[in-house]
Amino acid sequence: MRSEELGETLLPKRLALPIFASDPLSSVAYATQEILLVLTVGGTAFLYLTPWVAAGVVALMVVVVLSYRQVVHAYPSGGGSYEVVSRNLGPSSGLVVAASLLVDYVMTVAVSVASGVDNIISALPALADHRVALAVGFVALLAAMNLRGVRESGNAFAAPTYLFIGAMLLMIVTGLVRVAFGDAPVAESAAYGITAEHGKDALAGLGLLVLGLRAFASGCTALTGVEAISNGVPAFQQPKSRNAATTMGVMGLTAVVMFVGVTALALIAKVHYVDDACQLTGLAGECGGFTQQTVIAQLAAAVFGGDDSVLFYLIQAATALVLILAANTAFNGFPLLASILAQHRYLPRQMHTRGDRLAFSNGIIALAVVAGGLLWLYDADVTDLIHLYILGVFTSFTLSQIGMVKHWNRILRTEQAPSVRGAAQRSRVINGFGAVVTGLVLVVVLATKFTQGAWLAVVAAVLLWLMMRAIRRHYDAVAQELAVEDPAAESARPAKVHGIVLVSKVHRPTLRALGYAQAFGPDTLEAVSVAVEPDSTAELVAQWAEFDLQVPLKVLDSPYREITKPVVGYVRSVRRGSPRDAVAVFIPEYVVGHWWEHLLHNQSALWLKSRLLFTPGVMVISVPWQLSSAPRADRPARRAPGSVRRGEPTRSKVG
């Protein structure tokens, strides 16, 4: 796609919702499960805390959504939390947010895909042994789809997301209707007891408070990905800010309704879900071979009459699909943020380059590789991965809300219009309250999850922060080094140019290099060869005299059969003899058409160039000779991805 076609990839709200909000919407599938997982450490005695924990999560969701609606209006350029914090709290704080979000995007992919695979295994237990392969395969598939471009991935992902929303609402409404008619659904696990890890007395007082806070921290996974819309505002159609804010509102409302409905049904159906199946009592067989169904699977079976009904499989398919596709939120957020960081010189500049389909291909590939590695390392286990999750989200939540408060304070100091001041004051209250609440949640998450694995996420974010600072220092140092101070002196011509053509034998590439070097017009020109094999050297000298080539040939001795060291030593000696002069080294090279041909040719030239480029005052000039296998610009070539962008002709355009 041409660069000017970028406008055609902008998203309407109906496509933006599944692209940017599939993560928070799909979190419904495991947020309730994570709450129950924590509360069942005390058996069934503390499940009464579930509604209170869920209410806290809902209240937090409302606060965060309202706060980020302010962000998309105030900062529509797409930097999201990173831009807000960088502008208002300084670059170092902005990098803290950026590092936290990059880590969290990786975790979003890992957790979403692992959870989706869990739901597939709930419906098809025979696939349990292939968990890791399935997870890594889905990550590769998502990366491939996103490399096709934002709009194409949106079209592909829209149907599964809306199918999931519809399926979940159908299950919730059906379950509540059954309750209203006195036929409440009952989960299969309701018949099982739970062996408490800690007695009720041990979890009284402060222990009970800690348990509730841990459950709340786990339930906050429902908020992951909320900020992605604020990062993706430039991808919306006009008016960008209003469309982004509307999409965020719809996302928040839909997520709250589904989360409340699933949690209510889980309590009504008496779903029991534990960390270790051996905590369950009353199992028919050995606990070691028992695979727990996910909370969503248990509810679908209870509501629709068993785990062999069509609607049960519909719910499982829709849930697995949306959980896997929820990683798409990260596949859009990570490359966008990485692109902005690269533009600000905190990441390699390649991250800012758009690929053939106008997607940030390098960011997509980097995310897929890291997330795939994490899934392999943790065996695609949701319980292990979840502890590394959501820490980065609440770091960015908290700092961005503090930054927005400072933003509104700055506006109130200069703005005199009563209507504008009133709106700014209301927004400041919303963001101030959001900063306090998300800050408290950050402390809770850090305190309750740090020893369970969250410390790894902290370490990763710190290392990433240090790396980005180092990259920026490097780019700044290079920019300073390359800055022009004295144009006249720095553009002055060398006193003389000494030309050196490297030759190994007399053949057509050598003659082309000699001709080009002569056309180049150096003050002196000589051909240089290295005497590695006496017979070959003698043949070269004889041919040189036979063809009466008008360029003097110098043969360098090499008692240890090296090529690179004698050439580099000779070039440096020429340079030392005339420091004000320049040395131009012409190297004939083959251009090949197959990857394996690179292994057979140009190895000496590659080593020579790599050494000569480090020598000041030496220019290295490659003189190509296209072998018959190489694609040529003067004849049609088979079209390959990226051929248009690279300037390669296609059959339809030749002539």
Side-chain angles (χ1 to χ4, degrees):
M1 296 182 71
R2 298 170 64 88
S3 297
E4 51 265 34
E5 294 179 82
L6 184 61
E8 298 178 18
T9 67
L10 297 180
L11 301 169
K13 294 190 289 293
R14 63 179 176 80
L15 289 182
L17 183 67
I19 286 179
F20 291 113
S22 56
D23 181 20
L25 291 176
S26 67
S27 298
V28 171
Y30 54 81
T32 301
Q33 179 172 300
E34 291 303 315
I35 293 173
L36 296 177
L37 198 63
V38 173
L39 293 179
T40 50
V41 299
T44 59
F46 300 105
L47 291 179
Y48 73 91
L49 293 174
T50 304
W52 300 102
V53 173
V57 173
V58 168
L60 185 61
M61 172 73 84
V62 172
V63 169
V64 170
V65 168
L66 290 176
S67 298
Y68 270 97
R69 280 172 58 89
Q70 308 297 324
V71 171
V72 298
H73 284 295
Y75 294 93
S77 60
S81 298
Y82 166 69
E83 184 179 4
V84 171
V85 176
S86 296
R87 288 196 184 186
N88 295 288
L89 302 181
S92 293
S93 298
L95 279 189
V96 171
V97 169
S100 300
L101 283 176
L102 290 176
V103 171
D104 216 72
Y105 282 137
V106 172
M107 295 312 307
T108 294
V109 175
V111 171
S112 296
V113 170
S115 186
V117 171
D118 262 3
N119 276 271
I120 293 174
I121 292 172
S122 290
L124 303 169
L127 296 175
D129 292 337
H130 306 287
R131 181 188 301 272
V132 176
L134 284 170
V136 174
F138 283 129
V139 170
L141 178 63
L142 284 168
M145 294 176 74
N146 276 278
L147 288 171
R148 290 291 301 164
V150 174
R151 194 179 184 95
E152 282 78 1
S153 64
N155 287 323
F157 298 160
T161 303
Y162 287 120
L163 174 65
F164 171 73
I165 294 172
M168 293 301 294
L169 293 178
L170 174 65
M171 182 181 74
I172 292 167
V173 170
T174 303
L176 294 179
V177 168
R178 286 184 56 180
V179 172
F181 283 91
D183 182 26
V186 179
E188 180 187 13
S189 62
Y192 305 142
I194 300 177
T195 303
E197 293 182 22
H198 302 283
K200 192 169 183 178
D201 294 336
L203 291 174
L206 184 60
L208 184 61
L209 176 62
V210 171
L211 181 68
L213 291 176
R214 278 188 57 195
F216 175 66
S218 294
C220 286
T221 53
L223 278 76
T224 55
V226 169
E227 81 293 336
I229 290 176
S230 67
N231 291 332
V233 177
F236 281 80
Q237 291 180 344
Q238 296 287 357
K240 295 178 182 291
S241 293
R242 190 174 72 187
N243 286 338
T246 302
T247 304
M248 184 165 284
V250 171
M251 176 269 296
L253 179 62
T254 307
V256 165
V257 169
M258 291 196 298
F259 173 67
V260 170
V262 169
T263 305
L265 277 184
L267 291 173
I268 292 168
K270 296 181 172 58
V271 172
H272 293 161
Y273 194 85
V274 294
D275 188 22
D276 183 358
C278 290
Q279 287 180 253
L280 297 173
T281 60
L283 295 176
E286 292 292 328
C287 63
F290 181 75
T291 301
Q292 292 184 92
Q293 287 187 325
T294 61
V295 168
I296 295 296
Q298 292 188 48
L299 289 177
V303 170
F304 297 121
D307 57 8
D308 56 353
S309 66
V310 173
L311 289 176
F312 168 81
Y313 283 105
L314 172 66
I315 294 289
Q316 289 307 102
T319 303
L321 262 178
V322 81
L323 280 168
I324 292 167
L325 298 184
N328 193 59
T329 298
F331 272 106
N332 283 278
F334 183 100
L336 278 171
L337 180 57
S339 167
I340 294 169
L341 289 167
Q343 193 176 11
H344 295 171
R345 297 182 295 181
Y346 288 115
L347 285 179
R349 287 173 179 164
Q350 295 91 326
M351 291 293 185
H352 186 56
T353 304
R354 291 185 183 270
D356 301 310
R357 300 292 299 176
L358 297 176
F360 294 111
S361 307
N362 293 324
I364 292 170
I365 294 169
L367 175 60
V369 169
V370 177
L374 205 60
L375 285 165
W376 174 79
L377 187 64
Y378 281 86
D379 293 325
D381 190 294
V382 177
T383 304
D384 288 341
L385 289 167
I386 205 80
H387 296 310
L388 310 179
Y389 206 16
I390 78 173
L391 192 65
V393 168
F394 281 97
T395 302
S396 67
F397 283 172
T398 304
L399 290 177
S400 69
Q401 299 314 305
I402 295 173
M404 285 301 295
V405 170
K406 194 169 182 179
H407 167 81
W408 298 123
N409 286 340
R410 187 170 60 251
I411 288 179
L412 289 170
R413 282 196 297 268
T414 58
E415 186 59 55
Q416 301 299 324
S419 59
V420 177
R421 288 183 62 85
Q425 287 170 344
R426 288 192 297 273
S427 298
R428 182 173 63 175
V429 170
I430 293 172
N431 291 128
F433 182 68
V436 172
V437 174
T438 55
L440 290 173
V441 174
L442 176 61
V443 173
V444 170
V445 170
L446 193 59
T448 57
K449 288 183 172 288
F450 190 81
T451 57
Q452 296 178 313
W455 65 271
L456 282 171
V458 175
V459 169
V462 170
L463 292 176
L464 196 54
W465 184 85
L466 292 171
M467 183 192 76
M468 289 191 290
R469 298 261 300 183
I471 291 172
R472 176 59 187 262
R473 283 197 301 271
H474 169 77
Y475 278 133
D476 288 347
V478 170
Q480 185 177 0
E481 184 178 344
L482 299 181
V484 177
E485 296 178 357
D486 186 350
E490 292 171 8
S491 62
R493 295 178 58 183
K496 289 183 178 180
V497 176
H498 300 281
I500 296 175
V501 181
L502 301 182
V503 301
S504 58
K505 60 180 67 175
V506 179
H507 50 20
R508 297 171 72 186
T510 297
L511 297 180
R512 172 178 287 183
L514 286 170
Y516 180 78
Q518 290 172 322
F520 190 73
D523 295 282
T524 63
L525 179 63
E526 62 181 336
V528 173
S529 184
V530 180
V532 176
E533 297 179 2
D535 293 343
S536 298
T537 303
E539 183 181 355
L540 170 64
V541 172
Q543 285 184 318
W544 204 268
E546 178 187 348
F547 292 146
D548 192 23
L549 299 175
Q550 298 302 306
V551 177
L553 173 66
K554 184 176 185 64
V555 178
L556 303 177
D557 188 31
S558 181
Y560 296 102
R561 301 161 304 284
E562 290 183 300
I563 295 177
T564 303
K565 190 173 181 179
V567 171
V568 173
Y570 178 71
V571 171
R572 287 178 176 173
S573 69
V574 173
R575 172 70 179 154
R576 280 195 302 269
S578 306
R580 295 179 58 192
D581 297 350
V583 179
V585 181
F586 299 84
I587 304 178
E589 285 191 67
Y590 303 133
V591 178
V592 299
H594 305 292
W595 66 267
W596 51 267
E597 290 181 288
H598 286 285
L599 304 175
L600 308 177
H601 303 286
N602 296 326
Q603 298 304 310
S604 297
L606 180 64
W607 282 107
L608 278 166
K609 284 196 294 184
S610 65
R611 292 291 301 278
L612 290 171
L613 288 173
F614 287 99
T615 307
V618 175
M619 271 46 79
V620 181
I621 302 163
S622 294
V623 183
W625 179 269
Q626 291 81 13
L627 295 179
S628 59
S629 63
R632 297 256 308 265
D634 59 354
R635 65 172 182 246
R638 181 175 62 87
R639 184 167 182 172
S643 59
V644 174
R645 182 162 55 88
R646 290 191 293 269
E648 298 173 11
T650 61
R651 295 184 187 278
S652 60
K653 295 186 178 181
V654 171

